[in-house]
């Protein structure tokens, strides 16, 4: 029995990295997928890979920080599949630099995409979500503090607060809202970190290596499945022990 048979899932930022890995795992587990990204060409490749495996999938060009785009993503999903069971709020960006050099526009952009974008997707997906629905948000190991990421760590700490509040507000509808906090995951986002810093980060992982995106996809799968029906408001660190070793 496939673990997401009969479920419809929206995954944001599905064109690369963790979102792509999650889309592929969810498709293999029987989910119907609405996949969103700003990078249409990248998303197109992921969608054709998944279609080739026989899964039902709809691509949507959507900037999660744009309310009109998010509303369109929700209505496109409902037109295609008639319901929404799962939202994986995965799209996220970094604009790293130390505080004295951080421009207001870099602060605003990161907060807009990571925090407001997650809020908008959650707000409009939850409004249409079935009883028993699941939302999985994305924080980061950076919530513990990371030099050069004042905007990013603040946005991700905001996501944790949002997760706890949404969990309380939607519990009466038996909808669970949780959050994953990835450590150093081997994706284009991690590749964009200067090599010296990347090596230093990986050196802090007790389990000894950067984590493959599929490991986060597996945590998404668990928190999106009926096996997690009584877990809500939680943040799960998937970080090879980095958060306890820091
Ligand atoms: N890679 C890591 O080490 C790591 C660590 C902690 C947390 N995270 C978080 O995990 C999530 C996924 O990260 P990743 O490493 O796979 O990133 P990535 O950069 O490899 O992929 C992110 C995807 O999101 C898309 N995207 C960016 N802005 C968007 C927007 N406004 N609207 C829609 N799509 C948008 C990008 O086009 C890209 O396809 C992010 O929220 C990130 O902050 C990653």
């Amino acid at each position: 029995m496939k673990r997401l048979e009969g479920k419809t899932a929206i995954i944001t930022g599905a064109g690369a990295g963790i979102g792509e890995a999650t889309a592929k795992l969810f498709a293999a587990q029987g989910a119907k997928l609405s996949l969103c990204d700003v990078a249409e060409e990248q998303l197109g490749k992921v969608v054709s890979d998944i279609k080739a495996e026989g899964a039902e999938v709809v691509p949507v060009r959507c900037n999660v920080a744009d309310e009109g785009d998010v509303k369109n993503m929700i209505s496109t999903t409902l037109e295609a599949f008639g319901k929404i069971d799962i939202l994986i709020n995965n799209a996220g960006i970094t604009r790293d630099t130390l505080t004295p050099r951080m421009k207001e526009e870099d602060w605003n952009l990161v907060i807009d995409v990571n925090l407001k974008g997650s809020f908008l997707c959650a707000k409009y997906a939850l409004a249409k979500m079935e009883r028993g629905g699941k939302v999985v948000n994305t924080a980061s190991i950076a919530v513990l503090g990371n030099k050069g990421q004042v905007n990013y760590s603040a946005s991700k700490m905001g996501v944790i607060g949002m997760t706890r509040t949404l969990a309380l507000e939607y519990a009466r509808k038996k909808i669970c809202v949780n959050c994953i906090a990835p450590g150093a995951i081997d994706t284009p986002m991690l590749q964009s970190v200067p090599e010296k810093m990347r090596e230093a980060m990986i050196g802090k992982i007790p389990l000894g290596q950067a984590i493959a995106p599929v490991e986060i996809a597996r945590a998404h799968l668990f928190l999106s499945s009926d096996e997690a029906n009584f877990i809500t408001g939680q943040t799960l660190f998937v970080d090879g022990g980095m958060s306890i070793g820091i």
Side-chain angles (χ1 to χ4, degrees):
M1 172 71 180
K2 292 182 172 174
R3 286 163 74 189
L4 299 180
E5 200 75 67
K7 307 278 188 196
T8 293
I10 295 176
I11 302 173
T12 69
I18 293 169
E20 175 180 355
T22 301
K24 289 180 174 167
L25 183 62
F26 278 26
Q29 289 297 327
K32 294 175 183 168
L33 295 174
S34 177
L35 300 183
C36 124
D37 210 293
V38 274
E40 280 185 283
E41 203 174 313
Q42 268 174 235
L43 183 64
K45 284 192 197 125
V46 175
V47 166
S48 46
D49 287 356
I50 290 177
K51 274 194 178 153
E53 298 294 319
E56 281 186 63
V57 52
V58 176
V60 193
R61 201 219 76 90
C62 168
N63 171 5
V64 294
D66 182 299
E67 189 171 35
D69 276 11
V70 172
K71 285 181 174 172
N72 175 57
M73 174 178 76
I74 300 298
S75 57
T76 305
T77 307
L78 291 172
E79 275 161 31
F81 303 124
K83 63 178 185 135
I84 300 167
D85 302 291
I86 297 162
L87 167 67
I88 304 295
N89 243 337
N90 164 76
I93 58 166
T94 51
R95 289 292 182 276
D96 297 348
T97 192
L98 291 170
T99 299
R101 285 199 290 269
M102 186 162 293
K103 297 192 179 104
E104 186 182 3
E105 68 203 58
D106 290 331
W107 173 270
N108 286 344
L109 184 62
V110 168
I111 300 287
D112 251 25
V113 173
N114 297 2
L115 184 54
K116 188 182 83 175
S118 299
F119 163 70
L120 290 173
C121 293
K123 173 179 170 172
Y124 290 106
L126 280 161
K128 301 292 179 187
M129 203 169 260
E130 306 278 305
R131 206 178 156 80
K134 304 280 191 293
V135 176
V136 185
N137 296 318
T138 306
S140 165
I141 186 82
V143 297
L144 302 180
N146 198 22
K147 286 180 198 165
Q149 291 199 313
V150 67
N151 51 357
Y152 184 77
S153 59
S155 73
K156 296 299 192 178
M157 205 55 164
V159 168
I160 293 178
M162 185 183 79
T163 300
R164 294 167 64 101
T165 297
L166 289 174
L168 289 173
E169 288 186 5
Y170 286 84
R172 70 188 161 78
K173 291 182 81 180
K174 302 277 185 270
I175 292 173
C176 296
V177 184
N178 290 294
C179 186
I180 304 252
I185 315 302
D186 199 3
T187 69
M189 182 180 276
L190 187 66
Q191 297 309 330
S192 72
V193 175
E195 196 180 342
K196 236 173 130 184
M197 275 174 71
R198 194 167 65 236
E199 291 307 319
M201 272 172 86
I202 294 168
K204 285 189 200 160
I205 303 173
L207 286 177
Q209 63 190 76
I211 298 164
V214 70
E215 302 295 343
I216 305 299
R218 289 187 180 124
H220 281 150
L221 176 61
F222 170 61
L223 289 174
S224 299
S225 72
D226 290 339
E227 291 158 30
N229 280 348
F230 286 87
I231 301 174
T232 197
Q234 302 303 307
T235 296
L236 176 63
F237 282 79
V238 183
D239 64 354
M242 206 173 172
S243 50
I244 50 171
I246 264 172

